[in-house]
Amino acid sequence: MSHDDRDLRKIFDSRSFWHEFSRSQPQATRYHNAGLFQNLHLTSSEGFEEFAHITLKKCKRIVARVLGMSTFQEYRTIARELDRLSDLLCRIIDLADFVRATHPDLDFQDAASEAHARMFEYMNTLNTTTGLNDQLGKALADPKVTSTWTNEEKTVAHLLKKDFSQSAIDLPWEKRQKFVKLSSTISALGAKFVDEMRPARMSLIIESSRLKGMSPLILKQLEHMRGNVVLPTMGVTALHAIRYVEDEKTRQQVYVASRTAANSQIQVLETLLLQRAELAQLSGFSSYSQMTLADKMAQSPTAVDKFLVALHGDNAPRAQEELRRMLSAKASREHARAHTESQGLEIHAWDRDFFRRDINAARAQASRKPDFLPAYFSLGTVMQGLSRLFSRLYGVRFVPHETASGETWHPDVRRLDVIDESNGHIAVVYCDLFAREGKNPNPAHFTLRCSRLISGDEIAENTSAYSTLDQLHSLTPARLANDGMAVSAPVDSSGSVYQLPTIALICDFPAPSVSSKLSAFSISKTPPPTLLPLPSLITLFHEMGHAIHSILGRTQLQNVSGTRCATDFAELPSVLMERFATDPAVLALFARHWETEAPLPYEMVEAYLRGERGGETAETETQVLLAAVDQAYHGPAVLDGSGAEGGFDSTKVWHEMCTKWGSVPEAGGTSWQGFFGHLVGYGGSYYAYLFDRAIASRVWDGVFKSGDGGEAVSRENGERFKQEVLRWGGARNGWQCIAGVLGEEGKGLEEGGEKAMEEVGRWGVGGK
């Protein structure tokens, strides 16, 4: 184990070590193309077509079996059969979705896109196949059948029935056609809204003298015209100007321009909202929000409103205190300009970021020391620390594994096997953590394959689908049943195995240096490994929170595996992991200087956190506002014709919400909703991240005791969180998970509802 632990650090901190480690496999397998993710079909981009073809044949056999069911014994298996059908679709859709976005080879991207489109079209056909819906309905209506089902089978059956309903399968043919057309239009409008996002004015021409306070380096990069600067109104340059420009009128000008979307963008948004409202009404709901929330923990728009009101109330005193500090800072600046009175001063929307920066800079200056924290956070030691933490909490650890030819999409990708102290090999994690040209820089977690039990009968049936021996590539029948990808050891006498969760983690950290150029963090002439600033460390912990949920949410049915839970519950493990990232007992597991091995002095972390703490209150207020805007945009008012010319006026509602929920009035004339891209993916459920932050805060304080006395690395606490939350995936109601993990403190939350949502809002998101 200590050997694996040392190697874990080295494979990320030393490219040469990783190169040698990858070559340690037997020569016979080193040159044999194992296929992407060891999927036997994906030895080349053309394999996607074969993969889709064989998968469709398997799907059609299951569909025929389900449609032909007539006996009690047959109906008993319907939940598992339909879950297997769903898994076959997801095997391609999830994997292809990742490959088309990440693989550097255009041929692979194109082939993945084609396979994705083919399977997605087939999935939509299945979702509107009335025979499947009818058969599932018959099984659900028979108590004799349902009494034989496990909890997972019951949950999956109800989830699938709801999926059929949301595909308008119960509507008359004419309305179903309208539903399909509306769904297609909504999808296209959403893509248009995100892709064509732009301000009404792309740039401002401002006299150079009015930009005092901005970084000279940034100013130097901008276009200059006869003593004027061409300032872009979209992106980081505009944000920098709002934070640093000393002249208030200039800040106001930049602020308004950067938050005023193009009219065409607003029209797309309002059309999108209208189409969503019509879709919900067609499906029998009063609003799109009501339709969206039906299968969430919140369950209703009223419950979301109660949560937001309570959370806003918890945050308001701190927001007012922050406002007073900003007024004091503004008064000090005015006094410095020979004003003797601060009466009549007020904080405007364009002042907030400027004076928050002022206050935070002063706070940081009080304990200013050079930021040497990254020297203690080499990527290798952080990965080592995550493995040690998971071993302490959950009894699982990361073991480096060499990659076969063709297994990964880039040489920088490292493979880790996840080993459980009781169950052995339980997951595979591919880590693509280094930046490169053309790679999406956004950190992300992808589940390429979910946990699912593959029965002995299924393994036998699957083998017959392959007619030639060369297709087997010496695979065991169990591996063959999982397309060559990783499986567990047999778990019963019939030879049943679990298909192992296969996960990809994407980050954008600089690769280990190969240059002899000295680093600010280097004592000797040795080039440093990848060193992470604290925010990057927290990001990696966040993504690992998703990964551990996928790993430990080991279920027999894939529809409820890992992160396949209610979307307003899915962020809980990842947000909670952020708390561990700065805990002293956790950092003591791994944080040491990359050259000297000296342990991290924790006071350096404390000083950093003091300097960063000022933005939490403002961030909470902003997120509450946006969640409220999201609810208003997906409420019944969209169809009531109260806007200009009888339509829905999103700008009017935007300003009404800013007045209601903000501590500082929004500037007149803005239409920032045109930049609210999350309305596409999180329409009606944007509150979810705040909701999970509040729950994570409570779990951190109540279960892990805010880390006091080493409670953050306690096996007892980890087992409690694992047994009550992580292991269930989506097979248990989220409210029952919360009530279970909080114990006495969680009593009364089991059933959820408006009172439970309100209670979570009262908890706040800050913690102790």
Side-chain angles (χ1 to χ4, degrees):
M1 182 172 173
S2 59
H3 176 73
D4 294 335
D5 190 62
R6 288 194 302 272
D7 286 354
L8 183 57
R9 178 180 180 179
K10 290 178 182 177
I11 66 167
F12 288 99
D13 281 353
S14 169
R15 273 183 160 169
S16 60
F17 181 86
W18 169 245
H19 180 70
E20 290 302 316
F21 182 87
S22 293
R23 292 173 60 85
S24 62
Q25 59 189 300
Q27 188 169 350
T29 58
R30 191 187 311 163
Y31 300 107
H32 165 69
N33 189 334
L36 192 61
F37 315 113
Q38 295 203 351
N39 186 302
L40 67 91
H41 302 290
L42 302 183
T43 56
S44 68
S45 59
E46 290 83 2
F48 266 108
E49 184 176 359
E50 175 194 60
F51 190 17
H53 176 71
I54 289 178
T55 299
L56 282 171
K57 285 174 65 176
K58 294 178 183 178
C59 289
K60 289 173 181 177
R61 282 200 298 269
I62 295 173
V63 170
R65 250 195 328 262
V66 171
L67 292 176
M69 286 179 176
S70 60
T71 68
F72 164 72
Q73 291 298 334
E74 289 172 334
Y75 280 122
R76 283 182 61 183
T77 67
I78 193 169
R80 288 184 180 273
E81 289 281 22
L82 290 177
D83 183 77
R84 182 182 171 193
L85 177 62
S86 175
D87 180 61
L88 287 169
L89 295 170
C90 290
R91 285 185 180 192
I92 294 185
I93 290 173
D94 291 345
L95 193 149
D97 194 41
F98 171 79
V99 170
R100 65 181 182 171
T102 308
H103 204 293
D105 188 317
L106 289 177
D107 289 338
F108 262 99
Q109 289 180 26
D110 291 343
S113 294
E114 289 177 15
H116 185 281
R118 187 176 176 186
M119 299 308 292
F120 203 81
E121 181 181 5
Y122 181 67
M123 182 181 71
N124 286 335
T125 299
L126 293 178
N127 286 339
T128 53
T129 301
T130 55
L132 293 176
N133 178 57
D134 293 342
Q135 289 287 67
L136 181 57
K138 288 178 183 177
L140 281 166
D142 188 344
K144 186 180 176 184
V145 171
T146 58
S147 66
T148 68
W149 286 350
T150 64
N151 176 67
E152 283 187 29
E153 287 172 315
K154 291 175 183 175
T155 301
V156 167
H158 285 288
L159 284 173
L160 294 174
K161 194 71 173 74
K162 196 168 290 184
D163 286 346
F164 279 123
S165 296
Q166 290 182 345
S167 298
I169 204 164
D170 297 320
L171 294 177
W173 187 86
E174 297 83 1
K175 288 188 175 181
R176 200 184 317 155
Q177 292 302 110
K178 183 178 180 182
F179 182 98
V180 171
K181 185 177 180 181
L182 279 170
S183 298
S184 177
T185 302
I186 287 167
S187 178
L189 285 169
K192 183 179 177 69
F193 180 71
V194 173
D195 294 343
E196 299 182 9
M197 199 174 286
R198 64 182 181 85
R201 298 179 65 182
M202 294 299 295
S203 62
L204 296 171
I205 298 175
I206 302 175
E207 295 175 15
S208 301
S209 60
R210 293 173 55 198
L211 295 174
K212 181 183 178 184
M214 282 188 71
S215 164
L217 292 175
I218 292 178
L219 284 172
K220 189 177 180 180
Q221 295 171 8
L222 300 179
E223 182 183 351
H224 290 254
M225 298 172 53
R226 300 175 186 173
N228 296 322
V229 172
V230 180
L231 187 89
T233 57
M234 192 171 183
V236 294
T237 303
L239 293 175
H240 177 82
I242 293 165
R243 287 177 184 147
Y244 286 91
V245 168
E246 295 179 9
D247 181 67
E248 182 174 342
K249 291 187 181 302
T250 303
R251 286 202 309 275
Q252 178 182 3
Q253 183 183 5
V254 177
Y255 179 90
V256 171
S258 67
R259 292 173 70 88
T260 304
N263 285 333
S264 59
Q265 182 75 354
I266 301 303
Q267 289 169 9
V268 170
L269 173 62
E270 291 176 353
T271 305
L272 170 65
L273 298 177
L274 181 64
Q275 299 281 286
R276 281 179 168 174
E278 290 180 0
L279 184 79
Q281 197 172 68
L282 184 66
S283 303
F285 294 94
S286 64
S287 68
Y288 187 81
S289 179
Q290 186 192 46
M291 184 174 79
T292 298
L293 297 172
D295 60 350
K296 308 295 188 295
M297 289 178 66
Q299 297 180 317
S300 74
T302 303
V304 173
D305 186 62
K306 286 184 178 294
F307 164 71
L308 294 176
V309 168
L311 184 57
H312 182 262
D314 174 80
N315 194 61
R318 292 185 292 277
Q320 289 302 312
E321 177 57 33
E322 184 181 72
L323 191 59
R324 284 191 288 272
R325 286 197 294 269
M326 286 191 284
L327 274 169
S328 177
K330 187 169 186 177
S332 296
R333 279 187 173 265
E334 295 296 326
H335 184 73
R337 294 189 180 96
H339 288 273
T340 58
E341 293 279 340
S342 63
Q343 285 185 341
L345 283 180
E346 57 182 302
I347 296 296
H348 300 287
W350 51 86
D351 290 328
R352 288 175 302 191
D353 288 346
F354 180 79
F355 287 107
R356 279 188 193 122
R357 181 195 58 78
D358 245 13
I359 293 166
N360 290 344
R363 184 186 290 123
Q365 190 65 37
S367 58
R368 174 58 64 195
K369 292 180 181 177
D371 182 12
F372 292 121
L373 276 173
Y376 295 87
F377 299 141
S378 79
L379 179 57
T381 59
V382 174
M383 295 299 293
Q384 195 179 49
L386 282 160
S387 180
R388 292 173 178 177
L389 175 62
F390 291 154
S391 179
R392 294 282 189 96
L393 292 177
Y394 310 124
V396 302
R397 60 190 174 91
F398 296 145
V399 175
H401 193 292
E402 65 274 7
T403 54
S405 174
E407 183 177 355
T408 65
W409 55 99
H410 193 274
D412 277 347
V413 178
R414 275 64 162 163
R415 170 177 167 168
L416 304 177
D417 284 351
V418 184
I419 307 300
D420 182 273
E421 60 190 23
S422 301
N423 298 310
H425 189 196
I426 61 169
V428 175
V429 181
Y430 291 100
C431 299
D432 186 359
L433 304 182
F434 299 117
R436 60 178 175 270
E437 187 176 354
K439 178 183 172 184
N440 189 322
N442 297 319
H445 154 276
F446 295 86
T447 302
L448 307 174
R449 185 147 300 187
C450 287
S451 167
R452 188 178 70 89
L453 186 70
I454 305 176
S455 70
D457 289 342
E458 182 183 335
I459 292 171
E461 176 193 327
N462 183 81
T463 305
S464 65
Y466 296 88
S467 56
T468 57
L469 287 175
D470 61 321
Q471 285 178 294
L472 304 184
H473 296 305
S474 302
L475 295 172
T476 64
R479 284 275 302 277
L480 185 63
N482 196 32
D483 306 314
M485 296 172 68
V487 296
S488 72
V491 296
D492 60 30
S493 59
S494 72
S496 299
V497 298
Y498 279 94
Q499 60 187 43
L500 298 189
T502 302
I503 297 152
L505 282 184
I506 307 296
C507 286
D508 197 48
F509 306 138
S513 176
V514 294
S515 169
S516 60
K517 184 179 179 181
L518 290 179
S519 162
F521 305 113
S522 178
I523 297 171
S524 67
K525 293 183 179 180
T526 305
T530 295
L531 302 176
L532 302 184
L534 193 57
S536 296
L537 170 75
I538 293 170
T539 294
L540 184 54
F541 268 63
H542 178 99
E543 297 305 330
M544 272 296 181
H546 287 303
I548 201 66
H549 198 185
S550 293
I551 291 164
L552 296 180
R554 187 184 198 182
T555 55
Q556 293 190 9
L557 303 183
Q558 74 92 26
N559 269 287
V560 290
S561 169
T563 56
R564 294 193 191 277
C565 56
T567 54
D568 52 359
F569 194 62
E571 290 289 334
L572 171 59
S574 56
V575 175
L576 179 64
M577 273 298 291
E578 295 177 16
R579 297 300 190 116
F580 288 92
T582 56
D583 178 82
V586 174
L587 292 173
L589 294 176
F590 68 92
R592 53 197 180 278
H593 196 281
W594 71 275
E595 274 185 299
T596 68
E597 295 294 314
L600 168 70
Y602 188 70
E603 56 268 22
M604 292 173 64
V605 178
E606 290 178 314
Y608 182 93
L609 293 176
R610 281 195 298 271
E612 294 295 308
R613 212 160 272 153
E616 293 175 357
T617 298
E619 175 65 13
T620 299
E621 181 177 274
T622 298
Q623 293 303 312
V624 169
L625 165 63
L626 295 182
V629 169
D630 171 49
Q631 289 299 304
Y633 282 0
H634 293 99
V638 177
L639 290 175
D640 71 6
S642 59
E645 299 179 4
F648 178 71
D649 189 340
S650 66
T651 300
K652 177 185 175 185
V653 173
W654 161 248
H655 284 273
E656 289 173 349
M657 292 294 103
C658 288
T659 301
K660 179 178 178 180
W661 297 94
S663 57
V664 176
E666 175 63 319
T670 61
S671 52
W672 183 86
Q673 75 274 18
F675 304 108
F676 194 0
H678 281 105
L679 287 171
V680 174
Y682 293 90
S685 61
Y686 187 77
Y687 71 92
Y689 181 67
L690 274 177
F691 180 64
D692 284 342
R693 278 182 65 194
I695 298 170
S697 176
R698 204 62 162 191
V699 171
W700 177 248
D701 293 342
V703 177
F704 295 96
K705 310 298 189 294
S706 307
D708 294 344
E711 293 285 344
V713 293
S714 157
R715 171 61 69 87
E716 180 182 355
N717 297 338
E719 277 296 315
R720 182 172 162 186
F721 188 64
K722 174 182 174 181
Q723 295 301 323
E724 296 290 352
V725 178
L726 295 175
R727 78 177 181 92
W728 292 94
R732 188 189 196 191
N733 181 283
W735 287 112
Q736 293 175 349
C737 291
I738 296 170
V741 77
L742 292 179
E744 283 294 318
E745 195 178 8
K747 279 189 175 179
L749 296 176
E750 297 90 340
E751 301 302 319
E754 294 175 10
K755 287 186 177 180
M757 289 290 292
E758 188 173 20
E759 177 64 17
V760 174
R762 289 196 196 99
W763 293 346
V765 298
K768 296 178 183 176

